[in-house]
Amino acid sequence: MAYLDRVFHSLSDGTRRAVIAQLANGPASIGDLAQCHHMALPSFMKHVRVLEESELVMSRKVGRVRMCELRPDALTAAQGWLEQERRVWETRLNQLDSFVETLAEKEDKHGRE
Amino acid sequence: MAYLDRVFHSLSDGTRRAVIAQLANGPASIGDLAQCHHMALPSFMKHVRVLEESELVMSRKVGRVRMCELRPDALTAAQGWLEQERRVWETRLNQLDSFVETLAEKEDKHGRE
DNA sequence: ATCAAGGTAAGCCATATAGCTAACTAATAA
DNA sequence: TTATTAGTTAGCTATATGGCTTACCTTGAT
């Protein structure tokens, strides 16, 4: 699976988006996260693994608890893709606009002849 | 499934992202899209359906061919979510920064005492 | 040294996904 | 009117997902 596939797949789950939102406010342990989403620990581990594989989150063990935190550049790839596509789209719309405008001008001239 | 779930899920597939990129350059029929991705028509229909259910794409039938086009506001929801999360994250970092700075100042003062 | 707590591994289950083929429908071209 | 073309529906397969439980391992507290 490609990198962007993993990123967007990570984001496609409400629980994982909530985790990201939560981690944006500071690190948390797996236990904390699981408890506050009313989910069994192993279930939550999977989410954390997905988030790590998409490089949105990183974690390390301190004693027997694993702390998770958001990666600094977490969302830039996704944002980058969206922005680029939007730019292409808007550029095309502008071109269409001016094309239609040109047409209208010609129509106009034609009308006046 | 929630709206954002659907949107990000749509974007989590390379083929669908390619379709979006393609449609940003103008409308296309299902047949066109399928052919240019070397895929059977019915397989492609599923992708188009997913894209429509996530409100990224709309389509209508003209004669016997179905034309697909990007929705004007397609990517704004996804962009919005990303931007907001990023803002939260950066705000927190700034606060941390100034907190550390304050600490450093106090340390400094303390040192001079 | 022992026990509790937090995490991890393994494996079960129901559902969803991404692809396919084959059969059907509806619009167009000959 | 008959073929051809473009979509569509139905159904198959293999794999992935999101949840669970149960058993195990490590670390920290008593």
Side-chain angles (χ1 to χ4, degrees), chain A residues 1 9 13 15-16 39-40 42-43 46-47 63-64:
Chain A
M1 221 191 341
H9 173 249
D13 180 281
T15 301
R16 286 191 292 263
M39 217 176 272
S43 312
K46 288 195 189 174
H47 285 301
R64 66 185 162 184

Side-chain angles (χ1 to χ4, degrees), chain B residues 14-26:
Chain B
T15 300
R16 286 192 291 263
R17 284 197 308 279
V19 169
I20 289 176
Q22 197 167 345
L23 292 183
N25 289 309

Side-chain angles (χ1 to χ4, degrees), chain A residues 52-108:
Chain A
E52 284 193 288
E53 282 173 355
S54 60
E55 295 174 32
L56 295 175
V57 160
M58 59 192 187
S59 73
R60 72 209 137 96
K61 248 184 141 162
V62 178
R64 66 185 162 184
V65 15
R66 177 175 294 279
M67 294 302 288
C68 308
E69 60 184 316
L70 210 54
R71 271 173 166 260
D73 53 349
L75 303 172
T76 56
Q79 274 190 308
W81 189 87
L82 289 173
E83 191 160 327
Q84 156 145 3
E85 287 316 315
R86 217 239 274 261
R87 196 159 45 234
V88 172
W89 165 257
E90 278 172 358
T91 303
R92 177 180 157 254
L93 281 199
N94 286 340
Q95 287 171 353
L96 258 187
D97 258 15
S98 53
F99 173 67
V100 168
E101 227 164 82
T102 311
L103 265 193
E105 273 168 28
K106 279 191 184 156
E107 269 304 308
D108 212 39

Side-chain angles (χ1 to χ4, degrees), chain B residues 20-87:
Chain B
I20 289 176
Q22 197 167 345
L23 292 183
N25 289 309
S29 79
I30 298 216
D32 291 345
L33 294 171
Q35 188 168 18
C36 112
H37 288 273
H38 314 96
M39 215 175 273
L41 256 181
S43 312
F44 221 85
M45 292 258 326
K46 288 196 188 172
H47 286 301
V48 170
R49 172 162 308 211
V50 170
L51 287 165
E52 285 193 287
E53 281 173 354
S54 60
E55 295 174 32
L56 295 175
V57 161
M58 59 191 185
S59 74
R60 71 209 137 98
K61 246 182 142 164
V62 179
R64 67 185 162 185
V65 14
R66 175 175 296 278
M67 295 301 290
C68 308
E69 59 183 317
L70 210 54
R71 271 172 166 262
D73 52 350
L75 303 172
T76 56
Q79 274 190 308
W81 189 86
L82 289 173
E83 190 160 327
Q84 155 145 6
E85 288 316 315
R86 171 117 85 178
R87 196 159 45 234

Side-chain angles (χ1 to χ4, degrees), chain A residues 17-63:
Chain A
R17 284 198 307 280
V19 169
I20 290 177
Q22 197 166 344
L23 292 183
N25 290 310
S29 80
I30 298 217
D32 292 344
L33 294 171
Q35 189 168 18
C36 112
H37 287 273
H38 313 94
M39 217 176 272
L41 256 183
S43 312
F44 220 86
M45 292 259 326
K46 288 195 189 174
H47 285 301
V48 171
R49 172 160 309 209
V50 170
L51 287 164
E52 284 193 288
E53 282 173 355
S54 60
E55 295 174 32
L56 295 175
V57 160
M58 59 192 187
S59 73
R60 72 209 137 96
K61 248 184 141 162
V62 178

